[in-house]
PDB file of all heavy atoms in Angstrom:
ATOM      1  N   ALA A  81      72.021 -59.636  37.080  1.00  0.00           N
ATOM      2  CA  ALA A  81      72.577 -58.371  36.594  1.00  0.00           C
ATOM      3  C   ALA A  81      73.082 -58.553  35.175  1.00  0.00           C
ATOM      4  O   ALA A  81      73.352 -59.671  34.733  1.00  0.00           O
ATOM      5  CB  ALA A  81      73.717 -57.906  37.500  1.00  0.00           C
ATOM      6  N   GLY A  82      73.197 -57.436  34.464  1.00  0.00           N
ATOM      7  CA  GLY A  82      73.687 -57.465  33.100  1.00  0.00           C
ATOM      8  C   GLY A  82      72.545 -57.548  32.102  1.00  0.00           C
ATOM      9  O   GLY A  82      71.390 -57.277  32.424  1.00  0.00           O
ATOM     10  N   VAL A  83      72.873 -57.933  30.881  1.00  0.00           N
ATOM     11  CA  VAL A  83      71.887 -58.060  29.819  1.00  0.00           C
ATOM     12  C   VAL A  83      71.422 -59.512  29.759  1.00  0.00           C
ATOM     13  O   VAL A  83      72.223 -60.416  29.539  1.00  0.00           O
ATOM     14  CB  VAL A  83      72.467 -57.619  28.462  1.00  0.00           C
ATOM     15  CG1 VAL A  83      71.448 -57.819  27.353  1.00  0.00           C
ATOM     16  CG2 VAL A  83      72.903 -56.154  28.524  1.00  0.00           C
ATOM     17  N   ALA A  84      70.127 -59.734  29.969  1.00  0.00           N
ATOM     18  CA  ALA A  84      69.556 -61.084  30.020  1.00  0.00           C
ATOM     19  C   ALA A  84      68.591 -61.304  28.864  1.00  0.00           C
ATOM     20  O   ALA A  84      68.000 -60.357  28.341  1.00  0.00           O
ATOM     21  CB  ALA A  84      68.806 -61.291  31.335  1.00  0.00           C
ATOM     22  N   ILE A  85      68.417 -62.562  28.513  1.00  0.00           N
ATOM     23  CA  ILE A  85      67.363 -62.950  27.578  1.00  0.00           C
ATOM     24  C   ILE A  85      66.126 -63.270  28.422  1.00  0.00           C
ATOM     25  O   ILE A  85      66.205 -64.050  29.372  1.00  0.00           O
ATOM     26  CB  ILE A  85      67.775 -64.166  26.741  1.00  0.00           C
ATOM     27  CG1 ILE A  85      68.978 -63.812  25.874  1.00  0.00           C
ATOM     28  CG2 ILE A  85      66.606 -64.646  25.874  1.00  0.00           C
ATOM     29  CD1 ILE A  85      69.576 -64.987  25.151  1.00  0.00           C
ATOM     30  N   VAL A  86      65.008 -62.646  28.070  1.00  0.00           N
ATOM     31  CA  VAL A  86      63.768 -62.784  28.834  1.00  0.00           C
ATOM     32  C   VAL A  86      62.611 -63.026  27.861  1.00  0.00           C
ATOM     33  O   VAL A  86      62.601 -62.494  26.752  1.00  0.00           O
ATOM     34  CB  VAL A  86      63.489 -61.510  29.672  1.00  0.00           C
ATOM     35  CG1 VAL A  86      62.237 -61.663  30.507  1.00  0.00           C
ATOM     36  CG2 VAL A  86      64.684 -61.163  30.552  1.00  0.00           C
ATOM     37  N   THR A  87      61.636 -63.796  28.288  1.00  0.00           N
ATOM     38  CA  THR A  87      60.433 -64.030  27.493  1.00  0.00           C
ATOM     39  C   THR A  87      59.467 -62.859  27.682  1.00  0.00           C
ATOM     40  O   THR A  87      59.154 -62.486  28.809  1.00  0.00           O
ATOM     41  CB  THR A  87      59.747 -65.340  27.922  1.00  0.00           C
ATOM     42  OG1 THR A  87      60.690 -66.406  27.805  1.00  0.00           O
ATOM     43  CG2 THR A  87      58.541 -65.633  27.055  1.00  0.00           C
ATOM     44  N   ALA A  88      59.018 -62.296  26.580  1.00  0.00           N
ATOM     45  CA  ALA A  88      58.089 -61.164  26.624  1.00  0.00           C
ATOM     46  C   ALA A  88      56.647 -61.649  26.754  1.00  0.00           C
ATOM     47  O   ALA A  88      56.291 -62.722  26.276  1.00  0.00           O
ATOM     48  CB  ALA A  88      58.229 -60.319  25.362  1.00  0.00           C
ATOM     49  N   ALA A  89      55.815 -60.821  27.385  1.00  0.00           N
ATOM     50  CA  ALA A  89      54.390 -61.117  27.526  1.00  0.00           C
ATOM     51  C   ALA A  89      53.559 -60.386  26.490  1.00  0.00           C
ATOM     52  O   ALA A  89      52.388 -60.700  26.294  1.00  0.00           O
ATOM     53  CB  ALA A  89      53.907 -60.720  28.915  1.00  0.00           C
ATOM     54  N   GLU A  90      54.166 -59.401  25.827  1.00  0.00           N
ATOM     55  CA  GLU A  90      53.430 -58.568  24.882  1.00  0.00           C
ATOM     56  C   GLU A  90      54.406 -57.924  23.901  1.00  0.00           C
ATOM     57  O   GLU A  90      55.616 -58.035  24.068  1.00  0.00           O
ATOM     58  CB  GLU A  90      52.637 -57.489  25.620  1.00  0.00           C
ATOM     59  CG  GLU A  90      53.529 -56.553  26.442  1.00  0.00           C
ATOM     60  CD  GLU A  90      52.740 -55.590  27.308  1.00  0.00           C
ATOM     61  OE1 GLU A  90      51.838 -54.907  26.771  1.00  0.00           O
ATOM     62  OE2 GLU A  90      53.030 -55.525  28.507  1.00  0.00           O
ATOM     63  N   ALA A  91      53.878 -57.225  22.924  1.00  0.00           N
ATOM     64  CA  ALA A  91      54.700 -56.552  21.925  1.00  0.00           C
ATOM     65  C   ALA A  91      55.049 -55.134  22.370  1.00  0.00           C
ATOM     66  O   ALA A  91      54.280 -54.492  23.075  1.00  0.00           O
ATOM     67  CB  ALA A  91      53.961 -56.506  20.589  1.00  0.00           C
ATOM     68  N   TRP A  92      56.225 -54.663  21.924  1.00  0.00           N
ATOM     69  CA  TRP A  92      56.599 -53.255  22.003  1.00  0.00           C
ATOM     70  C   TRP A  92      57.533 -52.972  20.834  1.00  0.00           C
ATOM     71  O   TRP A  92      58.211 -53.855  20.337  1.00  0.00           O
ATOM     72  CB  TRP A  92      57.220 -52.865  23.341  1.00  0.00           C
ATOM     73  CG  TRP A  92      58.420 -53.669  23.760  1.00  0.00           C
ATOM     74  CD1 TRP A  92      59.709 -53.516  23.318  1.00  0.00           C
ATOM     75  CD2 TRP A  92      58.452 -54.742  24.696  1.00  0.00           C
ATOM     76  NE1 TRP A  92      60.530 -54.428  23.929  1.00  0.00           N
ATOM     77  CE2 TRP A  92      59.787 -55.196  24.788  1.00  0.00           C
ATOM     78  CE3 TRP A  92      57.483 -55.365  25.482  1.00  0.00           C
ATOM     79  CZ2 TRP A  92      60.167 -56.244  25.610  1.00  0.00           C
ATOM     80  CZ3 TRP A  92      57.873 -56.411  26.312  1.00  0.00           C
ATOM     81  CH2 TRP A  92      59.196 -56.830  26.371  1.00  0.00           C
ATOM     82  N   ASP A  93      57.530 -51.715  20.400  1.00  0.00           N
ATOM     83  CA  ASP A  93      58.289 -51.364  19.200  1.00  0.00           C
ATOM     84  C   ASP A  93      59.466 -50.453  19.541  1.00  0.00           C
ATOM     85  O   ASP A  93      59.711 -50.129  20.706  1.00  0.00           O
ATOM     86  CB  ASP A  93      57.377 -50.726  18.154  1.00  0.00           C
ATOM     87  CG  ASP A  93      56.695 -49.459  18.656  1.00  0.00           C
ATOM     88  OD1 ASP A  93      57.126 -48.883  19.682  1.00  0.00           O
ATOM     89  OD2 ASP A  93      55.729 -49.025  18.013  1.00  0.00           O
ATOM     90  N   ALA A  94      60.183 -50.008  18.504  1.00  0.00           N
ATOM     91  CA  ALA A  94      61.350 -49.152  18.692  1.00  0.00           C
ATOM     92  C   ALA A  94      60.976 -47.824  19.331  1.00  0.00           C
ATOM     93  O   ALA A  94      61.742 -47.279  20.132  1.00  0.00           O
ATOM     94  CB  ALA A  94      62.062 -48.936  17.359  1.00  0.00           C
ATOM     95  N   ALA A  95      59.802 -47.302  19.016  1.00  0.00           N
ATOM     96  CA  ALA A  95      59.366 -46.038  19.617  1.00  0.00           C
ATOM     97  C   ALA A  95      59.208 -46.190  21.129  1.00  0.00           C
ATOM     98  O   ALA A  95      59.558 -45.284  21.893  1.00  0.00           O
ATOM     99  CB  ALA A  95      58.056 -45.574  18.983  1.00  0.00           C
ATOM    100  N   ALA A  96      58.701 -47.342  21.568  1.00  0.00           N
ATOM    101  CA  ALA A  96      58.562 -47.588  23.006  1.00  0.00           C
ATOM    102  C   ALA A  96      59.940 -47.669  23.665  1.00  0.00           C
ATOM    103  O   ALA A  96      60.131 -47.174  24.786  1.00  0.00           O
ATOM    104  CB  ALA A  96      57.775 -48.875  23.249  1.00  0.00           C
TER     105      ALA A  96
END
Side-chain angles (χ1 to χ4, degrees):
V83 177
I85 297 172
V86 182
T87 304
E90 60 187 308
W92 55 79
D93 59 16

